[in-house]
Amino acid sequence: MKELIEKINKLKKEKKAVILAHCYQNVEIDEVADYVGDSLYLSQMAAKTDAEIILFAGVFFMAQTAKILCPDKKVLLPRLESGCRMADMISLNQLREFKSKYPGLPTVCYINSTAEVKSECDICCTSSNAVKIVESLHADKILFLPDTYLGKWVEEKLGNINIITYPGFCPTHLQIRPEDIKAAREKYPDAQILAHPECHQSVTKLADYVGSTTGIMKFAAESDKKRFIIATEKGVVDRLKRDYPEKEFILIKENIICPNMKWHTLIDIYNSLEKEEHEINVDKEIASKALGCINRMLDVSASGVK
Ligand code: 13P
Ligand code: SF4
């Protein structure tokens, strides 16, 4: 593995490439990654980089977003199989049908959506800025898609807005049930329970903290507690265990794994960089409309706007 890591790092230098890795990736990928984090952080890094090649160790929509933000750069996805099952739950036609039932309402899409879907939404958001983005619209009623649970969690946090959600969901996070949280509380009464907002509301309601993948890692790092139950994908637990060996991290239940995130291996990354495949491209017209949607999010996210 050490040899492979060295070869990738050498290739990266030769090709002026940068590797962005989501924190659900196989943990050894961090050894070659320049940036590791949640989807907001990675899109901010993609927007900023002056590298010539961006290799995305993440799912398809993330690489697509990087290409939209950096149309002149080559964006590579090591394995094309790595789509997001939630993003694939809404097509452009389904979006149009959803919007036609509620004409005139502002439409917010989760970044976990295709470029086509983003191109017909007003603004997008990630799990770490969803509350701020929705609040910035100053609306009484909005449409939110594709994640119904993230949308409902935002509605509950804000309390003064009606969020009509599309019935999409993350199959990985929906494996976590309220019974799992209750059992963990009973078994580890001293532990803090940290959950991702893609979990069902009956789960997030019982958690001590709800936030993005980076939010969860930051919370655990800063807490003076010693034991944490993690209700999100296993990659977060792997990184927490590596970075804070003095604390204990327990995955809420076995096999909370996003199979799509786990497609990429170090060998795939090497092959991808070497052969410069698989290049992600986005239709120019779609990309320019989707860019507006993404940039509005990045602007609000960077501002102090309420
Ligand atoms: P984050 O925004 O927390 O990185 O989440 C992305 C994701 O796909 C979670 O399932
Ligand atoms: Fe998509 Fe769920 Fe995997 Fe995140 S965990 S990439 S939402 S399928």
Side-chain angles (χ1 to χ4, degrees):
M1 189 161 94
K2 200 168 159 254
E3 206 179 304
L4 186 56
I5 290 169
E6 276 166 14
K7 275 163 88 177
I8 295 172
N9 284 330
K10 189 162 166 267
L11 258 186
K12 237 176 32 171
K13 258 197 208 141
E14 281 166 20
K15 300 203 176 213
K16 294 198 176 70
V18 72
I19 298 184
L20 309 184
H22 190 268
C23 38
Y24 291 167
Q25 290 293 299
N26 291 305
V27 70
E28 62 275 14
I29 287 176
D30 291 11
E31 302 301 318
V32 296
D34 299 276
Y35 304 102
V36 180
D38 67 6
S39 37
L40 177 63
Y41 175 71
L42 295 178
S43 51
Q44 286 165 334
M45 293 307 110
K48 271 217 284 240
T49 185
D50 53 10
E52 286 170 16
I53 295 179
I54 299 175
L55 183 145
F56 221 116
V59 283
F60 187 82
F61 77 81
M62 296 180 174
Q64 219 183 25
T65 304
K67 181 66 187 178
I68 294 166
L69 286 163
C70 312
D72 301 330
K73 300 191 192 306
K74 192 175 257 189
V75 176
L76 303 175
L77 187 66
R79 296 290 296 246
L80 285 176
E81 297 93 333
S82 59
C84 163
R85 288 179 291 169
M86 179 202 286
D88 293 339
M89 283 179 190
I90 185 163
S91 65
L92 188 54
N93 280 343
Q94 286 166 315
L95 169 69
R96 286 177 178 161
E97 201 186 318
F98 181 52
K99 283 173 70 168
S100 72
K101 289 190 197 144
Y102 308 96
L105 287 189
T107 308
V108 180
C109 62
Y110 192 20
I111 197 162
N112 298 36
S113 55
T114 62
E116 287 76 10
V117 163
K118 288 187 181 81
S119 75
E120 295 199 12
C121 289
D122 296 304
I123 189 163
C124 81
C125 72
T126 72
S127 60
S128 62
N129 62 18
V131 172
K132 187 174 183 180
I133 297 295
V134 171
E135 210 174 12
S136 76
L137 297 172
H138 300 288
D140 303 329
K141 208 183 213 187
I142 64 153
L143 299 184
F144 191 98
L145 59 107
D147 189 1
T148 195
Y149 298 109
L150 177 63
K152 286 294 158 194
W153 176 73
V154 173
E155 183 179 63
E156 215 170 283
K157 287 278 278 188
L158 289 174
N160 58 355
I161 180 164
N162 180 2
I163 302 188
I164 301 167
T165 61
Y166 183 82
F169 60 91
C170 166
T172 297
H173 285 88
L174 269 214
Q175 290 177 67
I176 305 170
R177 305 163 68 95
E179 302 87 280
D180 301 322
I181 305 286
K182 285 179 192 151
R185 271 257 189 261
E186 232 166 75
K187 192 163 175 199
Y188 305 105
D190 60 322
Q192 282 192 303
I193 302 183
L194 319 183
H196 196 278
E198 285 176 16
C199 292
H200 193 280
Q201 275 165 289
S202 58
V203 167
T204 48
K205 261 193 192 113
L206 299 174
D208 297 306
Y209 170 82
V210 181
S212 75
T213 47
T214 298
I216 288 175
M217 295 209 265
K218 207 163 166 270
F219 185 94
E222 287 167 4
S223 167
D224 53 14
K225 291 274 177 357
K226 291 278 170 274
R227 185 181 270 166
F228 303 86
I229 311 292
I230 307 297
T232 190
E233 213 268 353
K234 183 176 171 288
V236 168
V237 173
D238 295 339
R239 285 166 177 80
L240 284 168
K241 283 184 174 166
R242 177 197 62 196
D243 296 343
Y244 307 100
E246 70 287 4
K247 297 185 178 185
E248 189 184 358
F249 300 99
I250 301 161
L251 186 62
I252 182 73
K253 69 201 272 192
E254 259 182 68
N255 295 329
I256 301 300
I257 287 173
C258 173
N260 292 21
M261 280 279 186
K262 299 295 197 227
W263 272 105
H264 314 297
T265 63
L266 282 173
I267 293 171
D268 294 322
I269 290 179
Y270 177 78
N271 288 335
S272 172
L273 257 187
E274 225 250 309
K275 299 183 193 143
E276 300 191 15
E277 67 181 21
H278 306 90
E279 193 176 346
I280 304 300
N281 283 304
V282 184
D283 171 86
K284 280 208 166 68
E285 206 179 310
I286 301 269
S288 102
K289 289 198 225 154
L291 180 63
C293 176
I294 298 164
N295 273 341
R296 282 190 282 280
M297 168 188 80
L298 292 175
D299 288 348
V300 173
S301 212
S303 73
V305 170
K306 272 228 162 182

